[in-house]
Amino acid sequence: MKRFILGEGMVATIKDVAGLAGVSLGTVSKVINGDQSVSDKRSERVKVAIATLGYSPNSIAQNLRTANSKTISVLLANITNPFQMALAKGIEEVAVEHNYNLAVSSTNERVEKELDSLEMFERNRSDGIIICSTGKTKEKICSLIEKNIPVVMVDRFVPGIPCDYVGDNFPRAIEIALQHLQALGHNRIGIIHGDMNTYHGAYRHGLVLKKMRKLGLPHDTNLHKTGPYTYEQGGNAFRELMAMSVPPTAVLAVNNVLCAGAINAANNSEVNIPGDVSLVLINENNFMWDIVSPGITMVTQSPLTIGRSAANIIFERLRGKEKMAFTNTLFEPTLVVRESTRIL
């Protein structure tokens, strides 16, 4: 073996190991990664060189070379939202079963933040990516898919992206909510929508209008309030609806945070639910809604199940099923009637 001396304070590199052992960088890499194709003689020389130099392979660098980080990356809209937290929990449960780590980021509905996160996931060689998208990074997501990174979209469907999708049957959820109110005699229904600057916000707004036309419900543009998916927006929208000269007899909130804001606004303005106005929510049915008084009638969503399903699809892809047809998995909503709705 060659004589090799490192300068004081220098850290051995894989190139130093190759030089001392008299082999190529590729041979050293194969020995480090357990490749049995290297002869016993060369393998022994590499191992001696590693011991002599005190070389420590960088595990992150190894992961980069092998494109296997043992990490599933998750991009959420707002990690503080209980729905999104349940989504992440479902993903984590499956990742842990497979001894994978989870890297989580959130967009806060900002397109530039979504792009930054996706680029970070790519740099870190994520083995798979689960995305709850703003709907405005289609080109970037497609570029990741073209690099054979398994991608699953969750909760928010974005057309034109060739990947698996898992979510709730939101069109059906809207229809169930409106049918329930209509059956109780409500025709003047206020809707607290989400952010029209996001693809899913505009898409779901359109779905509501379509379902209202289908059911023969009258359409008054003043009854449709749009804005960011925030607690403050929920309160503002509710106050605006109830301040109308002819307020709605019922209100539908399209997500949990908006609904919470509406409930707070009702309490602060002494608007009685359901005496003055009925309230319906589309969201996960969890313990938080059991302790709210009055109990909130809702059409259920399934974030925990969505998360588990999305993660299982990622691992199916990683097991070599990349050529199977892309799937579109929808979970059916159900109506849970509580005290917040009444017959008109």
Side-chain angles (χ1 to χ4, degrees):
M1 183 176 290
K2 298 179 181 179
R3 188 169 180 268
F4 198 94
I5 301 175
L6 286 174
E8 186 177 353
M10 293 179 63
V11 177
T13 67
I14 191 171
K15 186 175 181 180
D16 297 329
V17 173
L20 182 57
V23 298
S24 68
L25 294 175
T27 298
V28 176
S29 179
K30 287 180 179 180
V31 173
I32 290 171
N33 289 295
D35 190 324
Q36 300 299 313
S37 66
V38 181
S39 68
D40 291 342
K41 184 177 180 180
R42 286 193 172 189
S43 178
E44 183 61 26
R45 280 160 53 189
V46 170
K47 291 175 182 177
V48 170
I50 288 172
T52 301
L53 296 170
Y55 172 68
S56 177
N58 184 306
S59 61
I60 295 176
Q62 281 184 267
N63 286 337
L64 290 175
R65 285 192 297 275
T66 60
N68 182 4
S69 64
K70 297 287 286 185
T71 299
I72 301 299
S73 294
V74 181
L75 184 59
L76 302 175
N78 183 347
I79 199 168
T80 63
N81 185 317
F83 179 94
Q84 302 272 305
M85 291 170 66
L87 194 63
K89 178 175 171 53
I91 297 168
E92 182 186 41
E93 289 177 358
V94 176
V96 168
E97 290 174 4
H98 290 81
N99 296 314
Y100 266 65
N101 300 311
L102 210 63
V104 181
S105 183
S106 62
T107 66
N108 292 320
E109 306 295 354
R110 292 167 50 213
V111 177
E112 63 274 15
K113 181 64 170 65
E114 181 167 337
L115 285 171
D116 287 345
S117 295
L118 292 174
E119 288 173 359
M120 177 187 69
F121 295 161
E122 182 179 9
R123 287 195 303 272
N124 292 344
R125 296 293 179 90
S126 298
D127 291 320
I129 304 175
I130 297 173
I131 307 171
C132 185
S133 177
T134 61
K136 295 187 176 182
T137 62
K138 178 179 173 181
E139 185 176 340
K140 179 61 183 177
I141 295 171
C142 287
S143 76
L144 295 172
I145 295 168
E146 288 171 0
K147 294 175 182 176
N148 295 319
I149 300 173
V151 170
V152 178
M153 304 285 289
V154 291
D155 184 43
R156 301 170 175 186
F157 177 76
V158 181
I161 297 180
C163 70
D164 299 288
Y165 170 75
V166 185
D168 292 295
N169 187 341
F170 206 82
R172 180 61 184 144
I174 292 171
E175 188 168 22
I176 289 172
L178 292 173
Q179 284 177 327
H180 172 66
L181 292 174
Q182 189 179 44
L184 294 176
H186 297 279
N187 286 305
R188 189 167 174 79
I189 302 170
I191 312 291
I192 303 179
H193 294 276
D195 190 351
M196 293 287 283
N197 292 317
T198 61
Y199 173 82
H200 63 277
Y203 169 71
R204 292 177 178 181
H205 179 274
L207 280 177
V208 171
L209 299 183
K210 180 179 179 180
K211 295 299 182 181
M212 293 184 84
R213 286 192 295 269
K214 176 182 176 181
L215 296 171
L217 291 167
H219 173 59
D220 180 347
T221 55
N222 294 319
L223 289 172
H224 294 259
K225 302 298 179 182
T226 63
Y229 290 95
T230 64
Y231 179 79
E232 292 75 18
Q233 170 60 19
N236 292 337
F238 185 85
R239 282 187 288 269
E240 289 175 12
L241 288 168
M242 300 313 295
M244 294 175 68
S245 57
V246 182
T249 62
V251 171
L252 167 62
V254 300
N255 91 336
N256 55 354
V257 177
L258 293 172
C259 185
I263 293 170
N264 182 62
N267 291 336
N268 289 338
S269 57
E270 299 183 354
V271 173
N272 181 265
I273 298 174
D276 298 318
V277 62
S278 289
L279 180 64
V280 175
L281 162 68
I282 298 176
N283 190 58
E284 175 194 16
N285 185 29
N286 59 32
F287 73 92
M288 290 187 295
W289 300 108
D290 292 331
I291 62 178
V292 173
S293 182
I296 305 300
T297 294
M298 66 173 59
V299 180
T300 63
Q301 292 182 287
S302 310
L304 192 67
T305 306
I306 291 171
R308 289 171 179 157
S309 177
N312 280 323
I313 290 172
I314 287 286
F315 285 107
E316 286 180 3
R317 296 288 181 190
L318 291 174
R319 284 195 294 269
K321 296 184 179 180
E322 69 279 355
K323 293 184 179 180
M324 68 182 186
F326 292 120
T327 57
N328 186 35
T329 306
L330 297 179
F331 294 99
E332 290 303 310
T334 58
L335 177 67
V336 178
V337 179
R338 296 193 178 96
E339 296 82 26
S340 68
T341 52
R342 70 176 182 89
I343 297 175
L344 191 60

